[in-house]
Amino acid sequence: MAPARKRALASRYNPKMRFAAASFALFLLCTFGFAQTNPTSLLEPKSVTIPAVIDHNRVIIDVQVPLHDGSMQTVHAWVDNGNPDLYMSEHIADLVGGYSCDGQKCFASPPREVVIGGMEISFAAVKQARVPLRSHGTESVMAAGMSVEINLPSSILRHYDVLIDFPGHKFSIGAPGTIHFRGQNCKALINAENGLIQVPSQIEKKKYTLALDLGAGVSFLSDDLFDKLAAAHADWPHMTGTVGSANIWGADDETKWKLMRLDRVQFGPLFLTGVPVVAMPTTYIDFLEKPAGASDAGLLGSNALLNYRIGLDYAHSTVYFEFGRMFSFPEFDVIGLTLRPEDDGRFTILGAPEYEGQPSVPQEPDGVQAGDHLIAVDGIPVGGSTLGQVWNTLGGTPGQERKLTIERGAKQFVVAARVQHFLAELPEKEKKKKK
């Protein structure tokens, strides 16, 4: 009998060999079927970690957006967990599929997903994207003063594990249960519909709820609560007019915004000291409360958490705070200007806050006037920079001089100004006098 025939008969009557053959066939069948239904599932990562840029205390990452022609385009995205709405620039909206306008508002169909570090992040939860209208030639501007064309809102992030590593300048996102969170943690109130987060807090031994908004570069308190605390604590540093990280957008009324350093605030398990806050107008509080579905005393922005790794465990309504470094950010050691970034990349000077009751920079006619444009700092042009990059050039050691190139009409001239230590802590003797 031929050897091949013998082996065939042996396998036919050998139970062990028959079982092995059947198992192998079943393996091939299952593998083939699985590959047919989900060919990329074995390749796509369950979680990813990518570099992040911290610009004006905002987290910026690269994402890939699928376009209507089947190609992909890499753009900068703003991680915006304090906002449930998706925004796209006109440029990206056009490439994704176009947009339509109703009066002054424009909307577009969102992309089906974006890709972060090789991982697909579904946008199925978002029905439409808002498209801010810009002047001709600035269609790639989603938000003036930022180099981004899309945001990652809370309505998307809430379906994932998220870790923002401020000290390491990293961003991680993964399927629920894939990121190992560390550090102190607390239960948070998370809106099931839009993913907005509120954290139990205390100020002056009174309980409040503060939103966690890592997309905001500065913290806010309701106007009423701000005034109540300011009246009770004249020794807490305060000022009028936005500088540094408080100069968030360049709204016309930012020259009148009130700033103060909270002596102490408990935010979940954290006890934070010297936190700069802005008095939030009632209209801003109403905007915050409506999507959050609960009453807020304000929000804690990223400026108070730059030394931490923040883990957002949406599936278990838990926020983690892992301490990463000990560093004091001199975010208000700057030249005293309030700026408005324009769509065309220029920076308009809205005003100059006072420092210790005196103008913080030289005033008109040979100094700075509202409506002037800031062209350069120490000879370095600022046009086309982000607002965060401009504030980096305007910062320094208190007393340090900066040469500001100012444009007024068709004329350019140079103004010498000094870095001031805004919102400075009062000496203990002065604190006791004011109490």
Side-chain angles (χ1 to χ4, degrees):
M1 185 180 292
R5 175 67 174 164
K6 287 183 178 180
R7 287 195 299 270
L9 288 173
S11 64
R12 181 177 179 182
Y13 293 103
N14 187 325
K16 291 184 178 180
M17 293 184 68
R18 290 172 63 191
F19 178 77
S23 298
F24 182 68
L26 180 62
F27 170 77
L28 288 177
L29 180 62
C30 291
T31 302
F32 178 75
F34 183 78
Q36 290 286 77
T37 57
N38 195 353
T40 63
S41 59
L42 293 177
L43 302 176
E44 185 180 333
K46 297 298 183 182
S47 65
V48 293
T49 297
I50 62 171
V53 173
I54 310 302
D55 183 35
H56 213 40
N57 297 342
R58 296 157 175 158
V59 182
I60 312 298
I61 63 171
D62 281 346
V63 304
Q64 289 183 297
V65 180
L67 309 182
H68 66 84
D69 63 1
S71 64
M72 304 285 283
Q73 179 154 334
T74 301
V75 300
H76 298 321
W78 172 20
V79 180
D80 193 13
N81 84 291
N83 179 10
D85 296 324
L86 174 65
Y87 283 82
M88 295 192 300
S89 69
E90 292 180 70
H91 170 242
I92 287 299
D94 264 335
L95 295 178
V96 167
Y99 62 93
S100 58
C101 298
D102 177 12
Q104 294 297 315
K105 296 181 180 180
C106 297
F107 301 93
S109 295
R112 63 182 181 274
E113 77 270 328
V114 298
V115 178
I116 301 177
M119 179 178 177
E120 290 186 358
I121 305 300
S122 173
F123 272 40
V126 178
K127 302 307 179 186
Q128 66 178 10
R130 295 172 181 262
V131 182
L133 287 180
R134 301 295 178 188
S135 55
H136 179 68
T138 61
E139 290 84 358
S140 294
V141 178
M142 189 196 85
M146 297 183 70
S147 178
V148 296
E149 292 204 57
I150 194 170
N151 71 329
L152 288 178
S154 60
S155 52
I156 298 297
L157 297 173
R158 69 188 180 93
H159 297 287
Y160 298 90
D161 281 353
V162 175
L163 178 64
I164 296 175
D165 181 353
F166 283 109
H169 289 199
K170 296 177 183 178
F171 172 80
S172 301
I173 188 168
T178 60
I179 294 181
H180 177 60
F181 297 111
R182 296 180 297 185
Q184 297 176 285
N185 66 81
C186 72
K187 284 292 184 180
L189 305 173
I190 299 183
N191 189 302
E193 295 182 0
N194 55 35
L196 293 178
I197 300 173
Q198 299 174 88
V199 175
S201 306
Q202 286 193 48
I203 303 173
E204 293 284 277
K205 298 181 180 180
K206 292 185 178 180
K207 294 182 179 181
Y208 299 97
T209 300
L210 293 174
L212 173 62
D213 187 353
L214 301 178
V218 71
S219 303
F220 286 85
L221 286 185
S222 69
D223 197 43
D224 290 343
L225 179 56
F226 184 102
D227 288 343
K228 185 186 300 182
L229 293 171
H233 300 281
D235 56 313
W236 290 1
H238 58 275
M239 64 178 289
T240 300
T242 62
V243 296
S245 62
N247 183 199
I248 54 173
W249 296 120
D252 289 339
D253 59 349
E254 283 192 29
T255 58
K256 300 176 182 178
W257 283 9
K258 297 172 290 186
L259 281 68
M260 175 174 62
R261 279 193 187 274
L262 284 183
D263 184 62
R264 186 180 177 90
V265 57
Q266 181 181 349
F267 187 73
L270 301 183
F271 292 89
L272 305 170
T273 59
V275 177
V277 295
V278 177
M280 182 184 288
T282 303
T283 52
Y284 283 72
I285 284 289
D286 292 342
F287 172 80
L288 181 65
E289 287 181 355
K290 187 175 180 180
S295 178
D296 281 282
L299 64 86
L300 199 77
S302 57
N303 67 314
L305 298 168
L306 294 176
N307 285 323
Y308 292 85
R309 300 179 187 91
I310 311 299
L312 307 180
D313 184 354
Y314 286 97
H316 299 96
S317 299
T318 304
V319 180
Y320 288 79
F321 304 90
E322 182 187 9
F323 189 74
R325 65 183 168 194
M326 177 69 75
F327 186 73
S328 178
F329 293 88
E331 56 186 323
F332 296 107
D333 290 356
V334 293
I335 301 295
L337 297 174
T338 299
L339 302 173
R340 179 175 63 223
E342 307 290 357
D343 288 352
D344 61 5
R346 295 191 302 167
F347 290 86
T348 301
I349 297 173
L350 298 179
E354 291 187 346
Y355 180 76
E356 296 183 346
Q358 300 295 324
S360 58
V361 298
Q363 303 289 293
E364 54 184 327
D366 298 325
V368 173
Q369 296 181 17
D372 290 346
H373 290 98
L374 178 65
I375 302 301
V377 180
D378 289 339
I380 302 174
V382 300
S385 302
T386 67
L387 189 55
Q389 290 168 340
V390 174
W391 277 113
N392 284 340
T393 66
L394 290 171
T397 303
Q400 192 174 14
E401 187 177 84
R402 292 279 186 263
K403 301 290 187 182
L404 310 179
T405 302
I406 304 297
E407 182 178 80
R408 184 179 303 155
K411 177 184 176 183
Q412 289 190 6
F413 54 96
V414 175
V415 175
R418 295 192 178 278
V419 174
Q420 307 286 6
H421 184 39
F422 290 96
L423 285 185
E425 293 281 358
L426 293 175
E428 288 300 322
K429 290 183 179 179
E430 292 296 322
K431 285 185 179 181
K432 290 178 182 179
K433 287 181 183 179
K434 293 213 173 195
K435 284 184 178 180

